[in-house]
């Protein structure tokens, strides 16, 4: 993960109100996802199918729903940082995914 660049991206994001606390928290959560799941976010976010699978893994292995999806949020922000667009909601991606299987 490109930690310093990601931090600067978040600081520049107008949607984030509490620059110090929110930015520090999101960076820490993204780093924890990498550490706990033994992945490299830079590799994962370049592939939508791997990103989708990572979000499922985060839900299951990090019990993210209990924490109001804070880990998914951090990963989604990283995806946006790298790709310049948001990753679709899970249900939207599943519809896209299913339509490609036909």
């Amino acid at each position: 993960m490109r930690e310093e660049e990601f931090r600067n991206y978040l600081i520049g994001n107008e949607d984030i109100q509490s620059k110090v606390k929110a930015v520090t928290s999101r960076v820490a959560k993204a780093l924890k996802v990498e550490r706990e799941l033994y992945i490299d976010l830079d590799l994962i976010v370049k592939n939508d199918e791997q990103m989708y699978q990572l979000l499922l893994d985060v839900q299951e292995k990090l019990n993210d729903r209990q924490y109001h999806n804070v880990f998914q949020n951090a990963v989604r922000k990283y995806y946006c940082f790298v790709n310049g667009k948001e990753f679709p909601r899970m249900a939207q991606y599943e519809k896209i995914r299913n339509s490609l299987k036909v």
Side-chain angles (χ1 to χ4, degrees):
M1 184 174 103
R2 300 179 320 217
E3 184 178 343
E4 204 53 42
E5 290 175 67
F6 183 44
R7 183 180 308 280
N8 291 333
Y9 166 79
L10 293 172
I11 289 169
N13 188 324
E14 293 178 9
D15 295 336
I16 298 174
Q17 300 300 315
S18 169
K19 295 298 182 187
V20 174
K21 187 175 180 182
V23 168
T24 301
S25 176
R26 284 192 177 97
V27 171
K29 300 286 189 283
L31 287 168
K32 181 171 180 162
V33 168
E34 283 191 320
R35 186 174 58 252
E36 296 288 322
L37 300 180
Y38 305 102
I39 55 108
D40 180 345
L41 279 176
D42 283 311
L43 297 176
I44 299 293
V45 299
K46 291 178 182 177
N47 179 294
D48 284 356
E49 188 61 27
Q50 288 180 354
M51 176 69 176
Y52 171 75
Q53 189 58 53
L54 175 61
L55 293 173
L56 293 175
D57 289 347
V58 165
Q59 279 181 353
E60 178 188 334
K61 296 176 181 172
L62 298 180
N63 200 16
D64 198 31
R65 288 189 180 176
Q66 175 184 339
Y67 300 108
H68 307 289
N69 298 322
V70 295
F71 295 107
Q72 280 190 56
N73 180 278
V75 169
R76 286 175 174 279
K77 290 287 186 196
Y78 197 78
Y79 179 94
C80 192
F81 158 66
V82 171
N83 295 298
K85 64 179 183 175
E86 292 186 10
F87 189 78
R89 307 299 315 152
M90 296 297 274
Q92 289 174 310
Y93 185 77
E94 288 165 359
K95 283 181 185 178
I96 294 166
R97 194 173 179 243
N98 290 335
S99 72
L100 295 175
K101 291 182 180 178
V102 175

